[in-house]
Amino acid sequence: MITCFIVDDEPIARRGLREYIAREGDIKILAECENIVELRMRLQEMSPDIIFLDIEMPYASGMDWLSTANTSSIVILTTAYEQYALRSYDFNVADYLLKPIPYARFSKAIAKARNLLQKDIETEGVDYMVVNVTQTKRHKILFRDITYIEAQQNYCNIHQCDNTPLMIRTTLNRILEQLPSDMFCQVHRSFIVNKTRITSMDSSHIYIGDVSIPVSRTYKEKLL
């Protein structure tokens, strides 16, 4: 099941997306937000696979949020304005849908998102996985070599014990599904850690050597 947020200040637009999402059958709406303020609050609680994002909204625009966002979610823009299309691809959005959105066009964007979500990571055995770094390059990573994973906008940065980070396009939720739960756990909306690599911990952070990683209240009890 793919998870998503709908972010749009127009009730009619949100209803239209709900109806399209229901037709797809494998997408669950985690939250609906009327503005960027609500989106930021929701992202403190959970990280969806996809964010359907309007651009022109009260308080802050979708482009304002994208320029500073730290999310691993795939972003699909839904807007009535053409003029933002070129700039939007500076932020690696998956697609740009112009309102009114035909269902066929929406379904095509979802197919693109599914492809990004499903093909980025492949678990090949009990002790390693293979990730797509580019369309033509694949990389094998031993689980034991991973120290922690950090979400950065639409990508995840996999940090390894040899200090060579590897950036791949995927969501934190998707990569967590591929990792052995006895070795890895999420400690923050933007971080997964290898529990065997933790060297110390205080009330709000864990430490892997000299690296400090925040622990949010949502995940602290499970970590302990």
Side-chain angles (χ1 to χ4, degrees):
M1 183 66 69
I2 298 170
T3 59
C4 75
F5 282 1
I6 297 174
V7 187
D8 200 306
D9 61 319
E10 299 177 0
I12 293 176
R14 294 198 303 272
R15 184 177 67 191
L17 286 173
R18 280 199 304 271
E19 292 174 356
Y20 283 179
I21 288 167
R23 289 197 209 180
E24 293 296 315
D26 65 342
I27 306 175
K28 178 181 179 181
I29 300 171
L30 295 181
E32 294 187 21
C33 308
E34 296 184 13
N35 51 61
I36 296 302
V37 175
E38 291 184 12
L39 171 62
R40 288 177 175 138
M41 292 175 61
R42 288 294 191 174
L43 285 173
Q44 292 178 2
E45 303 167 355
M46 58 191 106
S47 179
D49 295 318
I50 301 171
I51 297 176
F52 297 100
L53 181 67
D54 189 18
I55 292 180
E56 295 205 355
M57 292 179 285
Y59 309 120
S61 74
M63 301 301 283
D64 292 335
W65 177 75
L66 280 172
S67 67
T68 59
N70 179 21
T71 178
S72 59
S73 304
I74 289 172
V75 176
I76 297 176
L77 290 172
T78 60
T79 179
Y81 302 94
E82 296 182 2
Q83 64 264 35
Y84 300 105
L86 185 60
R87 185 184 170 209
S88 73
Y89 287 97
D90 290 338
F91 304 115
N92 296 307
V93 300
D95 214 332
Y96 192 98
L97 303 181
L98 279 174
K99 300 174 182 176
I101 303 167
Y103 175 67
R105 184 67 183 84
F106 174 86
S107 188
K108 184 178 179 180
I110 291 300
K112 187 184 296 185
R114 285 195 188 99
N115 187 58
L116 290 171
L117 289 167
Q118 294 174 2
K119 292 187 176 181
D120 281 330
I121 306 169
E122 180 181 346
T123 303
E124 296 285 353
V126 296
D127 63 348
Y128 69 91
M129 64 182 179
V130 174
V131 299
N132 289 344
V133 181
T134 67
Q135 291 183 346
T136 58
K137 183 179 180 180
R138 292 161 65 80
H139 191 88
K140 177 181 176 181
I141 305 175
L142 296 174
F143 291 138
R144 67 173 181 267
D145 289 342
I146 299 172
T147 53
Y148 68 99
I149 302 167
E150 180 181 6
Q152 296 181 347
Q153 295 188 6
N154 297 323
Y155 293 82
C156 283
N157 202 356
I158 303 175
H159 294 265
Q160 301 176 76
C161 56
D162 62 358
N163 295 318
T164 57
L166 185 67
M167 187 79 77
I168 63 170
R169 186 184 179 103
T170 190
T171 67
L172 208 64
N173 283 347
R174 187 65 60 181
I175 200 169
L176 185 61
E177 292 174 357
Q178 310 301 321
L179 299 171
S181 59
D182 61 335
M183 185 179 293
F184 293 89
C185 67
Q186 188 167 357
V187 297
H188 184 274
R189 65 186 177 89
S190 299
F191 289 95
I192 294 170
V193 300
N194 183 339
K195 292 183 286 188
T196 68
R197 297 289 180 178
I198 296 173
T199 53
S200 61
M201 179 177 180
D202 59 28
S203 60
S204 58
H205 291 79
I206 61 169
Y207 299 88
I208 298 177
D210 296 331
V211 178
S212 172
I213 297 171
V215 178
S216 67
R217 287 179 295 177
T218 305
Y219 300 102
K220 185 174 182 180
E221 183 176 349
K222 184 176 180 180
L223 174 64
L224 291 174

